[in-house]
């Protein structure tokens, strides 16, 4: 099912959305798809994450997700917040990302901001044009501080995000 990095990004996007019953019902399918994920670092991160989810009840996972990503701004999934906080530079970065999506012909269908990590990963998984994916990868390049904070607060999420951080650095270095 997944043998290309963009498919792996889609799986990561699915796993990073708010956990719900549908996600829990698809864990076996996701685990199976992860068996073919590339790079191998993503495969092992997804498998470990799915194994962790399988050891908890949905309500526990939802409570943890909310505590980690929704309540604490230091670990928000809005990526420009980590670079700029809440200021005019962040507003400009958000506008730039939104413009980039529009130029690529992609329309956001949720109320999330353009820098919401799962949405960015979904965009990267479907957009074949480097001129549009480059700005998204640049935004993701600064996610190492988020990973570091998550290592203390929610190591299973840190392990899931580390391959994305590595990919962003590699992508920007080769661009």
């Amino acid at each position: 099912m997944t043998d290309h990095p963009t498919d792996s990004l889609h799986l990561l996007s699915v796993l990073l959305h708010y956990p719900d019953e549908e996600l829990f019902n698809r864990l076996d399918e996701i685990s199976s798809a992860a068996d073919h994920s590339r790079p191998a670092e993503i495969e092992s991160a997804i498998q470990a994450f799915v194994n962790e989810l399988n050891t908890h009840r949905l309500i526990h996972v939802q409570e943890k997700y909310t505590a980690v990503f929704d309540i604490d701004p230091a670990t928000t999934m809005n990526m420009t917040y980590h670079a700029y906080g809440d200021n005019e530079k962040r507003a400009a970065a958000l506008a730039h990302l939104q413009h980039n999506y529009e130029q690529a012909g992609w329309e956001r269908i949720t109320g999330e901001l353009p820098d919401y990590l799962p949405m960015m990963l979904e965009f990267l998984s479907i957009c074949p044009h480097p001129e549009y994916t480059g700005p998204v990868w640049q935004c993701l390049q600064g996610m190492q501080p988020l990973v570091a904070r998550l290592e203390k607060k929610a190591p299973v999420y840190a392990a899931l995000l580390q391959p994305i951080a590595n990919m962003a650095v590699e992508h920007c270095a080769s661009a």
Side-chain angles (χ1 to χ4, degrees), residues 79-80 82-83 117 120-121 124 133-147 161-175:
M79 302 311 298
T80 60
H82 299 289
L117 180 58
M120 295 173 84
L121 295 174
L124 290 171
T133 59
V136 177
W137 281 116
Q138 284 179 321
C139 185
L140 293 177
Q141 185 178 7
M143 70 186 296
Q144 195 56 48
L146 170 61
V147 172
L161 295 183
Q162 186 63 61
I164 302 165
N166 294 345
M167 287 176 70
V169 168
E170 290 170 15
H171 187 277
C172 291
S174 68

Side-chain angles (χ1 to χ4, degrees), residues 10-45:
H10 173 73
L11 287 177
L12 290 167
S13 172
V14 168
L15 291 172
L16 289 169
H17 277 286
Y18 182 77
D20 58 15
E21 198 166 314
E22 181 183 348
L23 171 67
F24 265 59
N25 290 336
R26 294 182 61 205
L27 289 178
D28 289 340
E29 174 189 342
I30 291 168
S31 180
S32 228
D35 285 340
H36 307 290
S37 295
R38 297 293 173 258
E41 178 185 24
I42 290 179
E43 176 187 352
S44 60

Side-chain angles (χ1 to χ4, degrees), residues 41-163:
E41 178 185 24
I42 290 179
E43 176 187 352
S44 60
I46 292 172
Q47 293 298 359
F49 188 78
V50 168
N51 290 341
E52 178 69 17
L53 290 184
N54 276 322
T55 65
H56 297 286
R57 291 186 12 235
L58 175 59
I59 189 71
H60 173 78
V61 175
Q62 290 172 326
E63 289 169 352
K64 181 70 172 181
Y65 183 98
T66 300
V68 170
F69 295 115
D70 296 338
I71 294 176
D72 187 355
T75 52
T76 182
M77 278 208 241
N78 292 104
M79 302 311 298
T80 60
Y81 183 85
H82 299 289
Y84 304 112
D86 269 335
N87 63 33
E88 292 169 5
K89 287 182 180 180
R90 179 174 183 221
L94 290 169
H96 179 71
L97 281 170
Q98 179 58 38
H99 178 73
N100 185 68
Y101 294 148
E102 290 168 0
Q103 290 297 306
W106 193 63
E107 185 177 337
R108 291 183 298 127
I109 57 172
T110 69
E112 297 292 346
L113 292 173
D115 66 340
Y116 180 60
L117 180 58
M119 187 177 62
M120 295 173 84
L121 295 174
E122 184 63 26
F123 175 77
L124 290 171
S125 77
I126 62 172
C127 183
H129 305 291
E131 66 270 24
Y132 301 120
T133 59
V136 177
W137 281 116
Q138 284 179 321
C139 185
L140 293 177
Q141 185 178 7
M143 70 186 296
Q144 195 56 48
L146 170 61
V147 172
R149 288 184 205 104
L150 288 172
E151 285 172 349
K152 296 175 187 149
K153 190 173 192 172
V156 68
Y157 281 105
L160 195 60
L161 295 183
Q162 186 63 61

